Amino acid sequence: NGWQDPKTLYPSQIYDIRGVFDGSIIKRGWNGYPTTIYTSVFPAPLGATSNPAEQQGAETQSIAYTRDGGATWTKLNFGRGNNPVICEKSPNLRAPTYQWFHAGEWPVQNMTGFRDPYAFESPVLAKLLDGVSNATGDYFLTISGGVRLEADSNAGPRLYLYRQTRPNEVRHWTYIGPFVSPSANVAFSDWSGNWGTNFETAGVTRLNERGEAYDDGSNTRALNIVAMGTEQGRNGSHENHWPLWAAATYHNDGSSVSTTIDAVGVVDWGRVYASIFFPVSGNRSVLVGWTYEDDEDLVLTAQRGYQGAFTLFRDLFLKVVRNVDPNTTGLRDPGSWKVWNETDGSLSVVTVGQKIVPETLKEYKAKSKVSNPQARSLNGTAGYVPFRVQPTSRYYAISANLRFDGDNPPMAGFRVLASDQEYTDIYYDLTAETLYIRRDNSSLIKTYGSETEAGKLRLWRTRRGNSYVRQSLNLTIVVDNSVVEVYANDVTVITTRVYPWLSASRGAGFFTTGDGSNSSVHFSSLELWDGLINAWPQRPNDTRKPLLWDGPLPNSAWAAWPGV
């Protein structure tokens, strides 16, 4: 409902009075209306690290539908056959505390969580399970969670797979089995983040080079993609979260489906979590994520009057790099890519691609003043070279192609939101195969985070004539006030938050650093879009509203949020 009335679906019933957590949309759900299935949270110990441990009944899955395009939502009635629709059996509100249902229906015991249902259609899974299960509905469902380490030596994060029991019935779901089951606190590779101990906000899609693939597995040029947020696997950084994707092969295990993980990558290496993708007409799979503030102690939340934002929408597809040098070090090691053996004998590297949706780019460019900084080559001693035409605000985009010459070129990229005292540097280090956003001088306000962001990126050597030549680096940088999103070769994305204090901190220009005095980086195809577009043209510049504060949470693990 926008900034004027942000309430849509919120805690209001006994089964969700502690919280309405993430869910997903079924386009034709309850009585044919758009329907969300979401996690309904009851006051009880909650989460992967809670002590005492989370128990059955703390998190259940419930249904709400809308008749007005999402402006308002109606929850199903409470009780048997209605909300919650995935929970425990036999409502019994006289049971002690949170145990308000009798016999448990958790898929396993000692869980770290049971949340974030993601509803999706999958011809691949439907074919694998044909005749295997009594469930015949069109929709599948993943629920995120895990098994606590202290309870099971084989514990780890888990995705649990359900299927709609009957078509057109959103209240009944059949448990199929564990879907993704890695070990805890393990990294698939250096390019892949960490599985952590608990999954959240998962999603499932299938991709080809054009976007979403809706085949039954017969298309050998498509990959199954499962995405998930992971908890407790980032050494305390980035709120201990990773947003990951995994390329998976599905297997029929007789009565259920399991997966083999073939590659794992990072959706966004910066301050992004709870990424989710959804189908869009035209065979598109579109992703959006949540970029959280770098104010983890909430020091300046009241002054801002808001907390967090959505990323730009991104089209997902398979990024295929053809004619890759077969002698590339680590080519067949575990990573964020697969290797395809092509029919002509060449090799291709395949990974998940992300690019800003064209609708956004079209509007950005149309509403901006476009300039073209002059192409140039710079060595490592150049430092910061401001553009001749500077941005006039903190809303702009930069696109460019960078060619790294020689074996030891300097680190190179751009400086944004710059003044004499504040600036943010975005640059690529060829030797480390890493893209950086350095924030230690981003703001004079020292309570904000200043950790350097880093994302892995390889520039592959591909055949050109009779030799192999290193890829160039295509960068797109979007500066949207405190949000900076960087897209590199449609593969590596870093979103971060910066909070310049000075009004003069809006400049931009070339940036190089390092020892590459004998080598250079060539910048070309440069564009600066100044102004972008205001997504909320009717909104006043200052939309702060008083925030409610009921004091600290009660010490009891059984408590609801303050004031409940």
Side-chain angles (χ1 to χ4, degrees), residues 3-83:
W3 59 272
Q4 292 175 309
D5 181 15
K7 290 195 302 182
T8 51
L9 190 60
Y10 50 90
S12 63
Q13 305 297 318
I14 188 170
Y15 53 83
D16 68 8
I17 197 62
R18 183 175 181 179
V20 169
F21 283 8
D22 280 0
S24 54
I25 296 292
I26 299 171
K27 188 175 181 180
R28 291 175 295 278
W30 177 254
N31 287 340
Y33 293 111
T35 296
T36 182
I37 180 166
Y38 69 94
T39 297
S40 38
V41 187
F42 184 76
L46 181 70
T49 60
S50 67
N51 186 16
E54 181 170 335
Q55 300 290 323
Q56 299 173 41
E59 296 180 284
T60 57
Q61 320 309 318
S62 293
I63 289 290
Y65 62 94
T66 179
R67 298 185 182 186
D68 53 15
T72 61
W73 293 84
T74 302
K75 299 173 184 177
L76 299 189
N77 292 331
F78 167 65
R80 185 189 299 272
N82 288 295
N83 277 346

Side-chain angles (χ1 to χ4, degrees), residues 347-368:
L347 299 181
S348 294
V349 166
V350 187
T351 187
V352 170
Q354 302 181 64
K355 52 188 175 185
I356 303 168
V357 297
E359 295 90 339
T360 297
L361 293 176
K362 180 180 178 181
E363 289 299 308
Y364 272 179
K365 189 168 187 178
K367 299 298 191 300
S368 296

Side-chain angles (χ1 to χ4, degrees), residues 177-192:
F179 189 47
V180 179
S181 306
S183 299
N185 295 318
V186 172
F188 185 83
S189 76
D190 291 341
W191 303 76
S192 307

Side-chain angles (χ1 to χ4, degrees), residues 221-234:
R221 306 285 293 189
L223 296 181
N224 305 310
I225 302 297
V226 183
M228 65 286 286
T230 77
E231 288 191 297
Q232 309 303 318
R234 208 162 180 175

